[in-house]
Amino acid sequence: MGRGKVELKRIENKINRQVTFAKRRNGLLKKAYELSVLCDAEIALLIFSNRGKLYEFCSSPSGMAKTVEKYRKHSYATMDPNQSAKDMQEKYQDYLNLKSRVEILQHSQRHLLGEEIAGMGVDELEQLERQVDSSLRQIRSTKARSMLDQLSDLKTKEEMLLETNRDLKRKLEESDAALNQTLWRASSSAEHSQQQQGMTSYHANPPSQEVGFFRPLQGNVALQMSHYNPGVANASNSATTSQNVINGFFPGWMV
């Protein structure tokens, strides 16, 4: 798996910046040495750190000065000597100006980091304090804007999640209602089927009419009622009772 692309910008962390400088400096010096050995090339390499420390490599046995002199002769060979001297003077002056500005910026940076401030006066310290306060306010303002942006994004995500939750809840309620309606219909259908089966069984097997003490009369009811004589019945009952008393026992209804 390949390494990700590194964004080329100044490393803000001081320790990481120093570690990266050391690694890449050594890698560059190694590449210069390998190129000089493999291709038999004359290579001169100059590296200045942010603190002004010089690192150099020269493949020529005669040294760096000879290689630089060779470079100068090659670069300015076609130029007019007077013009060349004038241009060299201007370039050297520009170099000195740029070098002075770089040193001032480096000193200012070290002061902002709290380094080398022991020899500063009160006015310089107050000016440095104002610069630090201004930088701190700007940093806090940028941090506050970043936090507000993150908060806005979180609120947007919260609203989206709540809307999704409401949709899921509504779908769940609709699903429960449909399931309850289906179960109710199935229950009603089962009860209706049981009622139909009961009616069919009742019509197929009607109940018997001889229930309890009620039995259908047999024979000619009118004829039986017409031959009933209370007097004869009482006389018969009296005769039977007298006979039972004479025989030495009472009927059950007299006890």
Side-chain angles (χ1 to χ4, degrees):
M1 184 174 179
R3 296 175 59 186
K5 185 176 180 181
V6 179
E7 184 180 2
L8 294 179
K9 66 176 184 178
R10 183 179 183 274
I11 300 175
E12 299 298 334
N13 187 278
K14 181 180 178 181
I15 298 177
N16 293 341
R17 185 168 63 248
Q18 291 177 351
V19 172
T20 303
F21 172 76
K23 289 183 178 179
R24 302 223 172 187
R25 179 201 65 208
N26 294 334
L28 183 59
L29 294 173
K30 181 180 178 181
K31 291 294 183 183
Y33 170 74
E34 292 175 353
L35 182 61
S36 65
V37 173
L38 294 174
C39 303
D40 194 20
E42 185 178 355
I43 299 175
L45 178 62
L46 298 175
I47 302 175
F48 288 93
S49 68
N50 60 347
R51 293 181 177 272
K53 188 175 181 180
L54 174 63
Y55 300 90
E56 63 179 15
F57 167 78
C58 183
S59 62
S60 176
S62 58
M64 179 67 70
K66 293 292 183 180
T67 304
V68 172
E69 184 65 24
K70 185 177 180 180
Y71 166 74
R72 289 178 179 176
K73 290 180 180 180
H74 180 77
S75 300
Y76 303 105
T78 58
M79 297 180 61
D80 183 28
N82 297 328
Q83 186 68 27
S84 176
K86 184 178 180 180
D87 291 341
M88 284 292 295
Q89 186 68 25
E90 292 178 355
K91 292 182 182 298
Y92 182 72
Q93 190 65 34
D94 293 339
Y95 163 75
L96 292 178
N97 294 333
L98 291 175
K99 183 179 178 181
S100 177
R101 291 182 59 185
V102 169
E103 291 177 354
I104 293 173
L105 291 174
Q106 289 177 351
H107 283 295
S108 177
Q109 181 181 6
R110 286 193 290 270
H111 292 165
L112 291 174
L113 294 175
E115 301 175 358
E116 300 180 3
I117 60 175
M120 298 178 64
V122 177
D123 296 337
E124 294 177 346
L125 290 174
E126 289 180 353
Q127 183 179 0
L128 179 61
E129 184 180 6
R130 288 192 295 269
Q131 292 178 358
V132 173
D133 290 339
S134 177
S135 300
L136 185 59
R137 285 194 298 270
Q138 186 175 0
I139 292 172
R140 288 175 176 173
S141 177
T142 304
K143 179 182 177 182
R145 286 196 300 269
S146 178
M147 294 179 66
L148 289 175
D149 293 339
Q150 292 181 1
L151 182 61
S152 178
D153 294 339
L154 291 175
K155 285 184 178 179
T156 303
K157 291 180 181 179
E158 181 184 8
E159 292 176 357
M160 293 174 61
L161 291 175
L162 289 175
E163 183 66 23
T164 304
N165 189 16
R166 286 193 292 267
D167 293 339
L168 292 175
K169 184 178 180 181
R170 184 174 63 255
K171 291 180 181 180
L172 182 60
E173 290 176 352
E174 292 176 356
S175 177
D176 291 341
L179 180 61
N180 292 334
Q181 188 175 5
T182 303
L183 294 175
W184 181 79
R185 289 179 179 176
S187 178
S188 300
S189 177
E191 292 179 358
H192 183 69
S193 177
Q194 291 178 359
Q195 291 178 358
Q196 291 292 337
Q197 291 178 2
M199 293 296 294
T200 303
S201 176
Y202 177 80
H203 289 297
N205 301 312
S208 177
Q209 294 180 358
E210 296 182 2
V211 179
F213 297 101
F214 299 97
R215 296 182 179 179
L217 296 176
Q218 299 179 358
N220 194 338
V221 178
L223 181 61
Q224 291 179 5
M225 291 179 67
S226 62
H227 287 84
Y228 175 73
N229 193 338
V232 177
N234 292 331
S236 177
N237 292 333
S238 299
T240 303
T241 302
S242 300
Q243 185 66 28
N244 291 332
V245 173
I246 294 172
N247 292 333
F249 64 92
F250 295 94
W253 60 272
M254 295 182 63
V255 179

